[in-house]
Amino acid sequence: MNSEIIKKFCDLLGEERVFTGEAMSRHTTFKIGGPADYFLMPDKDTDVGRIVKICKESAIPYFILGNGSNLLVSDQGYRGVIIQLYKEMSQVEVEGNVIRAQAGASLARIAGAALEAGLTGFEFAAGIPGTLGGACVMNAGGEMKDVLVRVTVLDEDDKIHVIEKDDLELGYRTSIIAKKGYMVLGAEIELQEGEKEAIRTRMNELKEKRVTKQPLEYPSAGSTFKRPEGYFAGKLVQDAGLRGFRVGDAMVSEKHCGFVINAGEATAAQVDELMKQVSAKVREQFGVTLEPEVKRLGEF
């Protein structure tokens, strides 16, 4: 660890928001991952830009983390700075039919705020285990495009600016934010007035569907593979006879074959190997290449 760098981070954020050697297994939904050299928890947009500037000046790699719901971190951890935009940057404000929220606000919390305000249009996101920042980057559910008004980002020159809806280029799990490598700091969404009971009913229906069909009782990173054009990844894995297939404690879910779960004490290496074997077997049987949906961080 570099004591000079640690001092810079502490001077900026305060010692209580700066950690070293932080186990990433504590910050991913997979419950897997070795230590990060530096783990920072900013609570202001401007501090995020200053952190990035320090990282660039010191030639230290950095990674933006939400709630860790789509991430596999190496067993060796991450040799760089993790900037967590989650609970410390999760303010949600409702004004009329507009909701403004910071990037770290969970989609479930925003959906709850919409429900309380009697606003409809965000029910789809109530059960997605992610943050607003990640949802903007990946057009979560394919429906963020219907509600986003504008997104505040930190660009490649460490400048904060606002991107209007028409310039977001929202598509299937992509956006201009993803293409340019921008960092989401917050966003504004616009919803419609609705009936609270109807909104609550729809949210409960979607929740029940997730609980019934997805292996929520086990740690995972959500859908493991991207949907190949013309196919469903989980169906291909199932048809390849891989339901319950495992490498160590990494396992293809028996409830939904599109999920790889941590069935106990799985390591990142086991998950990685399982994904490679599953992809190879599906390609061998069906001639379809499964690409990972889950992002890898660190050395594999």
Side-chain angles (χ1 to χ4, degrees), residues 24-265:
M24 290 301 293
S25 57
R26 298 179 57 194
H27 302 284
T28 65
T29 57
F30 241 144
K31 306 298 182 190
I32 293 172
D37 286 351
Y38 310 95
F39 189 92
L40 311 181
M41 301 168 64
D43 64 346
K44 295 191 288 291
D45 292 356
T46 50
D47 285 349
V48 176
R50 290 172 182 140
I51 292 168
V52 171
K53 186 176 181 182
I54 292 172
C55 290
K56 288 182 176 179
E57 289 173 348
S58 306
I60 299 176
Y62 63 91
F63 181 82
I64 307 304
L65 178 74
N67 73 329
S69 61
N70 190 34
L71 189 65
L72 179 64
V73 181
S74 164
D75 298 315
Q76 287 72 47
Y78 182 62
R79 304 287 72 81
V81 176
I82 297 291
I83 307 171
Q84 186 188 52
L85 304 187
Y86 190 27
K87 293 178 181 177
E88 300 300 319
M89 283 187 61
S90 61
Q91 291 182 6
V92 177
E93 298 175 353
V94 181
E95 184 179 338
N97 64 339
V98 172
I99 297 181
R100 299 181 188 88
Q102 289 182 297
S106 73
L107 297 178
R109 183 178 174 198
I110 297 171
L115 169 62
E116 286 305 307
L119 297 175
T120 184
F122 208 69
E123 292 90 333
F124 73 91
I128 299 176
T131 59
L132 179 62
C136 291
V137 174
M138 300 304 290
N139 187 24
E143 297 181 66
M144 285 299 293
K145 68 182 186 307
D146 299 327
V147 298
L148 274 174
V149 176
R150 56 187 59 90
V151 180
T152 302
V153 302
L154 187 73
D155 67 18
E156 68 272 23
D157 297 318
D158 308 329
K159 291 183 172 58
I160 295 174
H161 63 102
V162 175
I163 304 176
E164 298 294 329
K165 176 180 180 176
D166 290 345
D167 298 319
L168 285 170
E169 297 182 17
L170 295 166
Y172 174 66
R173 302 204 175 184
T174 190
S175 65
I176 189 68
I177 303 166
K179 294 170 188 172
K180 295 279 191 179
Y182 294 159
M183 184 189 309
V184 177
L185 299 175
E188 188 174 301
I189 63 176
E190 186 172 6
L191 305 174
Q192 305 299 319
E193 291 185 11
E195 296 291 332
K196 275 192 180 183
E197 283 311 308
I199 296 168
R200 182 179 285 108
T201 297
R202 181 57 179 155
M203 286 172 61
N204 287 338
E205 287 173 353
L206 292 172
K207 179 181 178 181
E208 180 63 26
K209 187 176 179 181
R210 286 188 74 241
V211 169
T212 303
K213 295 190 174 183
Q214 298 180 12
L216 303 183
E217 64 272 28
Y218 290 99
S220 79
S223 296
T224 306
F225 299 101
K226 295 178 182 177
R227 187 176 68 204
E229 190 172 346
Y231 298 90
F232 290 101
K235 182 72 161 54
L236 288 169
V237 176
Q238 176 181 315
D239 291 348
L242 297 172
R243 184 187 298 275
F245 178 71
R246 63 193 296 162
V247 173
D249 274 345
M251 175 176 157
V252 174
S253 168
E254 295 181 328
K255 183 184 281 189
H256 190 314
C257 292
F259 286 67
V260 170
I261 62 172
N262 178 355
E265 300 294 330

